[in-house]
Amino acid sequence: MNYQETVNWMFGKLPVYQFQGASAYKEDLTNSLKLCEYLGNPERKIRCIHVAGTNGKGSTSHLLASVLQEAGYKVGLYTSPHLKDFRERIKINGNEISEEYVCQFIAQHKDFFETTDLSFFEMTVGLAFDYFAHEKVEIAVIEVGLGGRLDATNIISPLISVITNIGIDHTAFLGNTIAKIATEKAGIIKPNIPVVIGEYTDETKIIFSEKATRNKSKIFFASDLISSTFPSALLGNYQKKNKKTVVQTLRVLVEFDAIKITEDIIKIGFENVIVNTKLQGRWQELEVSPKTICDTAHNAHGLEIVLSQVKTQKYDTLHIVLGFVNDKNMDDLLPLFPKEAIYYFCQPANSRALDATQLQTKAAQYNLIGSVYNSVTAAYQKAREMAHQNDFIYIGGSNFIVSEIL
């Protein structure tokens, strides 16, 4: 199979959360352990940083990778989901895994994947570990896909664990309360391995502290310890908290003599994060006039922060290109959006997409008024056509919406 055929097989033959939802979530690490044993336990051959959280874990992971690259390390980066190409998930020093490696890995192990009934995510995690070990990366930043305790990445013994924050998301899998979700995320805290917490509440702090105590893990609360940080190429207001988390993580790693790095290197890494890692979709400016921003925030915790930043922008008229997947609670999300905007409702080309007409009807209950378009591209083109030079266009609601725009 060529690359496209290989990727089509991966998405078509195996369940994947971002397309099928609940059917792709396995509440067990047996398959991940079995796969890594079959591959020769590549995860044991790499030093890792493990990053979990409801929001910000992608930005945090990319910032960590960028700084480590600037320090001269050969850095693996595993993140999910991708926006345009599957290979975005697996990078070394900002360069995506080759099409050839993906094809060879799948071809070589396809029979095992099928007989073991591996999920897309389990298989992809195995590919990342195998690639990083083969390429002898010096350190790998591994982002949790979903949750923590039962996530396929949670078979590693990292140098440090990081939990960015806790919000309500993926309630069908992680629980419908902050306490339940925090408990799942705290599952990445390992015995005698330090953990950094980015943001916390009184409720989540107790959960994290108790888990760290049981595991004899030193715990650091970044928001308490870091008063200020450095400028970054990532411009969203929410990055202020992510940057504190990254600075604290790096300082702990230096303290534990796991890496050698200076504050000047952190500053340079922050400035060059987009160049170094090719991160997209985080308060990303697509046009200057009218100013056009896309952002992958897709749950209440993330959207509240992003939309607060939207409201601080100077514009004559606000245009919002909006779409969601169908497992989100619209009664939690739609009240966050400004009523004075013109809305362009659409649905991404994905089986989990929320029907745009249903979205329009539901949005009207919250006085969010707009028209329905038959594609994301059509909605964006209409917004561009309607917007004047001093207007502002925001595009979001789902990773898939941003993906199609990019």
Side-chain angles (χ1 to χ4, degrees):
M1 296 186 292
N2 62 26
Y3 174 69
Q4 193 56 57
E5 290 168 340
T6 298
V7 171
N8 289 344
W9 180 84
M10 293 170 72
F11 283 108
K13 299 297 183 181
L14 301 176
V16 49
Y17 172 73
Q18 74 178 61
F19 286 106
Q20 297 181 12
S23 66
Y25 186 65
K26 295 186 178 181
E27 295 190 357
D28 196 286
L29 292 176
T30 301
N31 274 2
S32 296
L33 292 166
K34 188 182 298 183
L35 172 60
C36 282
E37 182 179 4
Y38 163 79
L39 294 172
N41 293 114
E43 79 285 1
R44 298 178 185 175
K45 302 172 185 176
I46 50 179
R47 302 195 307 158
C48 298
I49 299 172
H50 205 191
V51 183
T54 300
N55 292 301
K57 58 184 181 291
S59 296
T60 296
S61 296
H62 283 78
L63 284 164
L64 284 166
S66 179
V67 173
L68 291 166
Q69 285 174 229
E70 290 290 350
Y73 292 97
K74 186 175 185 179
V75 184
L77 177 62
Y78 174 78
T79 57
S80 63
H82 62 271
L83 290 177
K84 298 295 291 181
D85 186 341
F86 167 80
R87 296 182 302 131
E88 296 168 26
R89 295 169 179 253
I90 303 170
K91 300 176 182 177
I92 295 178
N93 284 3
N95 298 312
E96 296 172 357
I97 187 173
S98 70
E99 293 182 357
E100 290 76 16
Y101 200 100
V102 175
C103 292
Q104 290 171 7
F105 181 83
I106 297 300
Q108 182 178 353
H109 307 298
K110 185 169 177 282
D111 289 345
F112 178 84
F113 297 153
E114 292 181 320
T115 57
T116 313
D117 190 30
L118 292 183
S119 73
F120 169 90
F121 191 66
E122 290 161 344
M123 180 175 58
T124 305
V125 168
L127 169 60
F129 291 156
D130 181 82
Y131 180 60
F132 293 154
H134 180 270
E135 295 297 317
K136 296 181 172 58
V137 300
E138 295 173 277
I139 192 165
V141 182
I142 307 295
E143 179 191 342
V144 167
L146 177 62
R149 181 175 64 93
L150 298 173
D151 186 75
T153 64
N154 202 30
I155 61 173
I156 60 176
S157 294
L159 298 171
I160 192 167
S161 302
V162 182
I163 302 173
T164 58
N165 52 53
I166 301 297
I168 296 293
D169 200 13
H170 302 306
T171 55
F173 315 107
L174 306 180
N176 57 5
T177 68
I178 290 293
K180 289 179 180 178
I181 295 171
T183 299
E184 290 298 314
K185 306 285 186 185
I188 72 165
I189 300 175
K190 303 289 199 312
N192 301 305
I193 292 174
V195 57
V196 170
I197 307 299
E199 303 171 58
Y200 67 88
T201 63
D202 291 342
E203 183 179 23
T204 62
K205 185 174 185 179
I206 292 172
I207 292 169
F208 295 143
S209 297
E210 288 180 349
K211 183 63 182 289
T213 298
R214 288 197 302 272
N215 282 278
K216 298 180 180 178
S217 303
K218 195 168 182 180
I219 190 167
F220 302 83
F221 294 94
S223 57
D224 294 342
L225 298 169
I226 306 296
S227 58
S228 62
T229 183
F230 307 102
S232 167
L234 303 181
L235 302 177
N237 287 346
Y238 51 87
Q239 299 296 353
K240 295 176 183 177
K241 295 176 180 178
N242 293 332
K243 289 189 293 183
K244 287 186 177 184
T245 304
V246 171
V247 170
Q248 184 60 55
T249 301
L250 294 168
R251 288 179 179 172
V252 173
L253 287 170
V254 170
E255 177 186 335
F256 280 67
D257 203 28
I259 61 172
K260 295 186 183 301
I261 214 161
T262 65
E263 299 288 302
D264 286 342
I265 291 295
I266 297 176
K267 180 176 183 294
I268 296 169
F270 279 17
E271 291 173 347
N272 294 332
V273 59
I274 294 175
V275 172
N276 286 343
T277 68
K278 316 298 190 300
L279 178 62
Q280 296 189 84
R282 274 65 170 186
W283 195 263
Q284 183 173 345
E285 186 174 291
L286 303 180
E287 292 190 56
V288 176
S289 181
K291 187 171 183 179
T292 304
I293 295 292
C294 68
D295 195 280
T296 56
H298 56 275
N299 54 46
H301 182 269
L303 283 168
E304 185 174 13
I305 299 170
V306 172
L307 291 171
S308 293
Q309 187 166 357
V310 169
K311 293 172 185 176
T312 66
Q313 306 299 303
K314 294 181 179 179
Y315 51 76
D316 291 338
T317 302
L318 175 61
H319 305 259
I320 297 183
V321 177
L322 190 63
F324 294 97
V325 292
N326 58 21
D327 60 356
K328 300 297 181 184
N329 187 339
M330 292 297 101
D331 292 316
D332 289 339
L333 302 183
L334 292 174
L336 302 174
F337 285 83
K339 296 179 175 59
E340 71 275 8
I342 300 172
Y343 285 85
Y344 303 78
F345 300 112
C346 54
Q347 63 191 75
N350 182 277
S351 60
R352 288 177 57 221
L354 176 64
D355 180 80
T357 301
Q358 293 181 25
L359 175 57
Q360 179 193 41
T361 301
K362 188 68 176 178
Q365 297 177 14
Y366 294 95
N367 296 315
L368 310 179
I369 307 303
S371 300
V372 170
Y373 298 87
N374 61 12
S375 71
V376 175
T377 301
Y380 178 41
Q381 288 177 342
K382 187 62 176 180
R384 293 180 65 190
E385 176 186 322
M386 297 296 293
H388 297 114
Q389 182 176 349
N390 294 326
D391 289 352
F392 185 92
I393 301 175
Y394 173 79
I395 304 159
S398 165
N399 285 303
F400 302 117
I401 295 291
V402 174
S403 171
E404 292 189 33
I405 291 298
L406 294 177

